[in-house]
Amino acid sequence: MQAIILGSAAGGGVPQWNCRCPICAMAWAGDRRVLPRTQSSLAVSPDGERWLLVNASPDIRQQFFATPALHPRHGLRHSPVEAVLLTNGDVDHVAGLLTLREGQPFRLHATRSILDSISANRVFDVMAAGIVTRSEVALDEPFWPVPGLSVTLFAVPGKVPLWLEDGTPEIGAETETTVGAMIAANGRRLAYVPGCARVTDGLKRRLSGVDALLFDGTVLADDDLIRAGVGTKTGWRMGHVPMTGEGGAIAALADTDLGRRIFVHINNTNPVLVEESPARREVEAAGWTVAHDGLTLSL
């Protein structure tokens, strides 16, 4: 199984278009310690020929251009991407669907709740029904979006997308609105969980034994945005568990049997984005990799 992290950042990417927080300012200045990153998405294949796109980032065209394995290869119209899977309805995971409208057939997989959020916004009808088939996926039931590639979706603690919030949202509920994906091929398993509000015992049991875990790395500490001076929301309020601290991903998953541990969906305010920083060294010393765009796994 091959996996390519097309986009490793959270919403807005790094640097964000209008941000001069300390980390974005470094990126704007061309400081090599901060790699630019595009918004969250993943490509997975059982054979290097047929690909599943997991989440359609607003940066998807740029990501495809940077990834030769996803370039069109045959005739006037072609794509190695045969299916798209959504893990939630966040803008940074669905806006790229608007780019995938150029008459290319594929199947769009998601839970009923996520598909309903797409259907409620008619702008997504640019994916013509006769070309793009929308396929409802039930939790905890395997399906095969690409021959040779099995996927099982499972609920993780989360919240509804920001653009669907109405009043005070429920945070941490395990529903169809935020899911993880267990992806398997050729005897190997990869778990993709780009959004998660907390690590539960049930989630730890689910993840145990995977060959690679790509996990929510939005914030280092719960108050990252507040410390950076660019926001008032905590990681918890945004539906994201911090990397560090009591109940953070590193501590919570320390005793779980995992292969590679990789943080994805990293917010522009997260200090781990700075190479050789104390935060980066802390995370790496705990056995985790901080993802960058183009990071490729062969499992």
Side-chain angles (χ1 to χ4, degrees), residues 23 26 31-34 37 220 243 266 269-285 290:
I23 294 170
M26 293 173 68
D31 193 315
R32 294 185 179 182
R33 291 174 295 172
V34 178
R37 287 170 165 83
L220 178 71
M243 294 178 173
I266 305 163
T269 55
N270 191 325
V272 302
L273 292 169
V274 182
E275 304 276 352
E276 300 300 326
S277 65
R280 174 67 71 88
R281 289 195 292 267
E282 176 186 3
V283 167
E284 291 178 342
V290 175

Side-chain angles (χ1 to χ4, degrees), residues 95-159:
L97 292 173
L98 301 179
T99 300
L100 306 180
R101 66 184 189 278
E102 306 295 347
Q104 181 64 39
F106 64 89
R107 187 177 295 273
L108 177 64
H109 298 275
T111 65
R112 172 47 51 194
S113 294
I114 298 171
L115 287 178
D116 284 347
S117 70
I118 296 297
S119 298
N121 191 328
R122 290 200 60 191
V123 70
F124 290 106
D125 289 348
V126 297
M127 298 181 296
I131 297 174
V132 176
T133 303
R134 301 183 187 187
S135 178
E136 179 180 351
V137 178
L139 296 181
D140 301 313
E141 294 185 9
F143 66 103
W144 287 261
V146 172
L149 194 72
S150 168
V151 178
T152 303
L153 299 185
F154 53 93
V156 298
K159 72 171 186 66

Side-chain angles (χ1 to χ4, degrees), residues 40-238:
S40 173
S41 62
L42 174 74
V44 188
S45 173
D47 55 14
E49 297 294 326
R50 298 174 169 182
W51 291 84
L52 168 69
L53 175 67
V54 188
N55 293 326
S57 159
D59 302 315
I60 198 66
R61 181 184 176 280
Q62 176 183 346
Q63 294 168 351
F64 278 22
F65 188 79
T67 309
L70 302 183
H71 291 182
R73 303 172 190 168
H74 312 295
L76 294 176
R77 295 275 190 180
H78 171 259
S79 174
V81 174
E82 297 190 357
V84 178
L85 168 67
L86 304 177
T87 64
N88 64 22
D90 287 351
V91 169
D92 53 321
H93 286 161
V94 304
L97 292 173
L98 301 179
T99 300
L100 306 180
R101 66 184 189 278
E102 306 295 347
Q104 181 64 39
F106 64 89
R107 187 177 295 273
L108 177 64
H109 298 275
T111 65
R112 172 47 51 194
S113 294
I114 298 171
L115 287 178
D116 284 347
S117 70
I118 296 297
S119 298
N121 191 328
R122 290 200 60 191
V123 70
F124 290 106
D125 289 348
V126 297
M127 298 181 296
I131 297 174
V132 176
T133 303
R134 301 183 187 187
S135 178
E136 179 180 351
V137 178
L139 296 181
D140 301 313
E141 294 185 9
F143 66 103
W144 287 261
V146 172
L149 194 72
S150 168
V151 178
T152 303
L153 299 185
F154 53 93
V156 298
K159 72 171 186 66
V160 298
L162 176 62
W163 61 281
L164 289 176
E165 286 186 13
D166 183 12
T168 302
E170 182 180 9
I171 300 172
E174 296 183 51
T175 69
E176 289 189 349
T177 61
T178 302
V179 300
M182 186 68 71
I183 305 172
N186 305 316
R188 299 288 185 171
R189 293 191 303 150
L190 177 152
Y192 188 52
V193 187
C196 182
R198 70 171 181 272
V199 179
T200 64
D201 288 341
L203 180 59
K204 291 167 63 175
R205 289 192 294 270
R206 172 89 65 171
L207 299 176
S208 181
V210 298
D211 297 285
L213 170 63
L214 279 56
F215 194 77
D216 186 349
T218 306
V219 294
L220 178 71
D222 197 44
D223 61 351
D224 273 8
L225 273 71
I226 298 169
R227 290 188 186 187
V230 297
T232 59
K233 289 183 179 179
T234 63
W236 167 254
R237 173 59 182 81
M238 295 188 295

